[in-house]
């Protein structure tokens, strides 16, 4: 894609990765992604972030289309993760910028990643302002949103903020603005990104949004480093959406995630789902043999209850459930009700292990149900009643 002028003298350069499906090695990007970076043409030409190194050719081409033979004076590195900084060494080598601005933790990450010795790096803690001509750039550290080095760059003259991963979505499109695409799809992908990338850092999100409010930053354009950009009224929408995400208020929804050997645990999970549904709770039934853990997490994100199921296997639980629970715990979901079901042949540790995982995630646990071998009508009736009990707990919580 060619450069797009998003404001007078400010250009989206970026690269669209139509074929990306594996994002960061652990999350699915079913619609591809973009690596957004930006060029400000002022007395000091300033490049905000770079792109994945596989798109070095695209970045050079886009820079040339905007600048011709003019040089890049400054580089701002808001985040050092490779999909944002992958081309930084090549930019430094080719364009020889006078200065590279980054956060204090960004400098440490830059040294660790690139082992540089003579780069003109200048550390810009929160509150630092630099003049690039008729514009000022202000920096705000956002440590652990979502890496220690993360920071935002704000330009008051253009009322534009460059937010690296915050407000991002994985969506490869020819459009650049959020108001040019389907809003329902946008919100779905934005929530998926938050659930799998940003969720553990929700307290930092709330703190950052409060800081932006306290500073009374006038924002007309939000530029994340992935997906669509926000302008006009969409800026308030994006921040309100992030506020809601970070508060993790649950919906009238339950997710049953399970794995099964000979379908006994599956039958129990389906009976629990029936009990929930009959009480008016929206249910997602997700078998780990057919769903990726990041897709499950996108559903768990706004659910009020999570029910996990596995048969006992070698005195433990099935490996796909162990993977799922490890992933879920790392993302630190809050305000959930939890319960467990499982079948067994002889030792029967499954529900004890599953319940421990739920307790370790601070979930409010509803009594689990386990069954030896194949569940009969009576056992499935108990599972159905368990679903109704969880539904009652959800209604009491909402």
């Amino acid at each position: 894609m060619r450069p797009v002028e998003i404001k007078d003298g400010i250009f989206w350069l970026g690269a669209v990765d139509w074929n990306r499906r594996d994002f960061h090695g652990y999350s699915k990007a079913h619609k591809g992604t973009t690596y957004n970076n930006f060029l400000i043409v002022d007395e000091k030409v300033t490049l905000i972030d770079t792109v994945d190194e596989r798109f070095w050719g695209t970045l050079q081409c886009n820079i040339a289309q905007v600048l011709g033979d003019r040089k890049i004076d400054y580089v701002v590195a808001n985040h050092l993760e490779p999909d944002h900084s992958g081309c930084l060494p090549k930019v430094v080598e080719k364009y020889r910028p006078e200065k590279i601005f980054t956060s204090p933790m960004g400098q440490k990450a830059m040294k660790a990643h690139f082992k540089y010795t003579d780069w003109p790096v200048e550390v810009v803690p929160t509150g630092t302002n630099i003049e690039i001509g008729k514009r000022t750039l202000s920096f705000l550290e956002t440590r652990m949103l979502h890496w220690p080095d993360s920071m935002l760059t704000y330009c008051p003259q253009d009322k534009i903020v460059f937010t690296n991963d915050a407000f991002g979505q994985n969506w490869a499109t020819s459009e650049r603005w959020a108001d040019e695409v389907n809003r329902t799809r946008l919100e779905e992908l934005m929530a998926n990104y938050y659930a799998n990338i940003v969720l553990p850092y929700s307290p930092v999100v709330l703190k950052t949004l409060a800081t932006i409010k306290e500073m009374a930053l006038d924002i007309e354009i939000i530029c994340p480093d992935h997906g669509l950009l926000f302008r006009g009224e969409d800026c308030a929408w994006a921040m309100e959406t992030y506020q809601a995400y970070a508060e993790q208020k649950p919906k009238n929804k339950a997710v049953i995630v399970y794995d099964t050997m000979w379908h006994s645990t599956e039958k129990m999970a389906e009976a629990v789902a029936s009990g929930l549904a009959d009480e008016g709770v929206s249910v997602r039934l997700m078998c780990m043999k057919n769903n990726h853990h990041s897709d499950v997490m996108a559903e768990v994100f706004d659910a009020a209850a999570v029910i996990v199921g596995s048969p006992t296997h070698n005195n433990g639980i099935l490996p796909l459930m162990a993977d799922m629970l490890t992933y879920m715990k790392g993302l630190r979901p809050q305000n959930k009700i939890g319960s467990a079901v499982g079948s067994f042949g002889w030792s029967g540790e499954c529900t004890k292990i599953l319940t421990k995982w739920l307790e370790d995630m601070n979930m409010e646990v509803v009594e689990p149900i386990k069954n030896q071998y194949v569940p009969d009508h009576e056992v499935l009736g108990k599972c159905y009643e368990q679903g109704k009990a969880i539904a009652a707990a959800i209604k009491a919580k909402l």
Side-chain angles (χ1 to χ4, degrees):
M1 293 293 167
R2 295 171 63 86
V4 176
E5 190 168 21
I6 59 174
K7 192 108 181 185
D8 288 346
I10 302 179
F11 296 83
W12 172 90
L13 298 182
V16 181
D17 194 344
W18 300 95
N19 295 314
R20 171 65 70 180
R21 294 295 180 271
D22 177 4
F23 188 70
H24 289 187
Y26 59 83
S27 182
K28 287 291 184 183
H30 297 291
K31 296 293 182 182
T33 195
T34 68
Y35 312 105
N36 301 333
N37 73 323
F38 306 91
L39 190 68
I40 304 175
V41 180
D42 206 318
E43 290 179 22
K44 295 293 185 182
V45 173
T46 303
L47 183 70
I48 308 285
D49 293 324
T50 71
V51 297
D52 188 297
E53 66 176 343
R54 294 178 298 114
F55 292 91
W56 170 233
T58 301
L59 180 59
Q60 290 178 89
C61 181
N62 284 346
I63 290 172
Q65 288 182 59
V66 175
L67 292 183
D69 294 330
R70 194 174 170 185
K71 68 187 290 284
I72 292 172
D73 300 294
Y74 293 164
V75 174
V76 173
N78 280 325
H79 182 27
L80 272 297
E81 202 165 10
D83 51 338
H84 304 253
S85 68
C87 289
L88 184 58
K90 293 183 173 66
V91 166
V92 175
E93 181 180 357
K94 178 168 182 174
Y95 300 103
R96 301 289 178 187
E98 297 171 23
K99 294 181 180 179
I100 303 169
F101 300 100
T102 192
S103 68
M105 295 302 288
Q107 182 191 36
K108 293 181 180 179
M110 199 179 290
K111 275 187 174 292
H113 273 86
F114 303 120
K115 318 297 182 189
Y116 69 83
T117 55
D118 59 350
W119 288 7
V121 177
E122 186 168 319
V123 173
V124 284
T126 292
T128 303
N129 299 313
I130 64 168
E131 305 299 328
I132 62 171
K134 63 182 181 181
R135 296 179 177 86
T136 304
L137 297 181
S138 303
F139 304 102
L140 172 63
E141 292 174 72
T142 56
R143 293 189 185 192
M144 300 316 299
L145 181 56
H146 68 118
W147 273 26
D149 60 285
S150 300
M151 72 175 187
L152 309 182
T153 298
Y154 175 66
C155 177
Q157 290 81 9
D158 291 293
K159 302 177 182 178
I160 183 170
V161 61
F162 304 93
T163 61
N164 72 80
D165 277 306
F167 306 105
Q169 335 93 45
N170 283 320
W171 197 357
T173 60
S174 56
E175 295 81 4
R176 299 278 70 84
W177 297 103
D179 56 25
E180 297 175 326
V181 299
N182 179 277
R183 182 52 52 108
T184 301
R185 190 61 171 151
L186 173 73
E187 187 168 10
E188 179 185 333
L189 294 173
M190 193 169 164
N192 186 303
Y193 190 96
Y194 190 97
N196 285 287
I197 308 294
V198 185
L199 182 60
Y201 314 110
S202 292
V204 184
V205 172
L206 293 173
K207 182 180 177 182
T208 301
L209 291 172
T211 301
I212 289 173
K213 193 172 182 180
E214 288 170 10
M215 294 173 70
L217 297 185
D218 192 0
I219 297 174
E220 293 184 352
I221 297 177
I222 296 175
C223 296
D225 277 0
H226 297 290
L228 286 303
L229 318 181
F230 302 91
R231 60 185 171 188
E233 294 179 353
D234 277 346
C235 295
W237 177 84
M239 286 190 281
E240 288 166 5
T241 300
Y242 249 52
Q243 179 81 24
Y245 289 167
E247 290 173 350
Q248 298 192 58
K249 293 179 180 175
K251 294 181 179 177
N252 183 30
K253 172 182 172 184
V255 176
I256 303 175
V257 52
Y258 69 96
D259 199 4
T260 192
M261 292 173 66
W262 299 105
H263 304 290
S264 291
T265 297
E266 185 172 60
K267 290 174 182 173
M268 298 171 76
E270 289 172 348
V272 174
S274 293
L276 283 158
D278 284 355
E279 291 299 317
V281 176
S282 182
V283 183
R284 307 288 184 273
L285 196 60
M286 307 185 80
C287 179
M288 287 310 301
K289 286 185 174 63
N290 304 309
N291 293 280
H292 190 266
H293 58 231
S294 62
D295 293 328
V296 173
M297 201 59 215
E299 294 289 353
V300 166
F301 172 49
D302 61 355
V306 181
I307 299 92
V308 292
S310 172
T312 299
H313 177 248
N314 294 338
N315 302 108
I317 57 176
L318 286 175
L320 291 177
M321 281 305 298
D323 166 79
M324 181 67 239
L325 289 163
T326 300
Y327 186 69
M328 189 188 301
K329 183 182 176 185
L331 289 166
R332 303 175 208 162
Q334 302 294 313
N335 304 322
K336 308 292 186 195
I337 297 163
S339 191
V341 293
S343 59
F344 67 99
W346 44 96
S347 59
E349 294 92 341
C350 55
T351 52
K352 182 178 180 181
I353 294 169
L354 293 169
T355 300
K356 181 67 167 58
W357 276 100
L358 301 175
E359 291 172 343
D360 287 348
M361 289 186 273
N362 298 315
M363 294 191 188
E364 177 188 334
V365 175
V366 174
E367 190 68 22
I369 297 177
K370 67 177 180 180
N371 178 69
Q372 189 169 21
Y373 294 115
V374 181
D376 58 16
H377 185 75
E378 181 182 354
V379 171
L380 294 178
K382 289 180 180 178
C383 292
Y384 176 83
E385 292 300 324
Q386 185 200 40
K388 295 182 72 170
I390 295 168
I394 290 173
K395 289 175 182 175
K397 192 178 186 69
L398 296 179

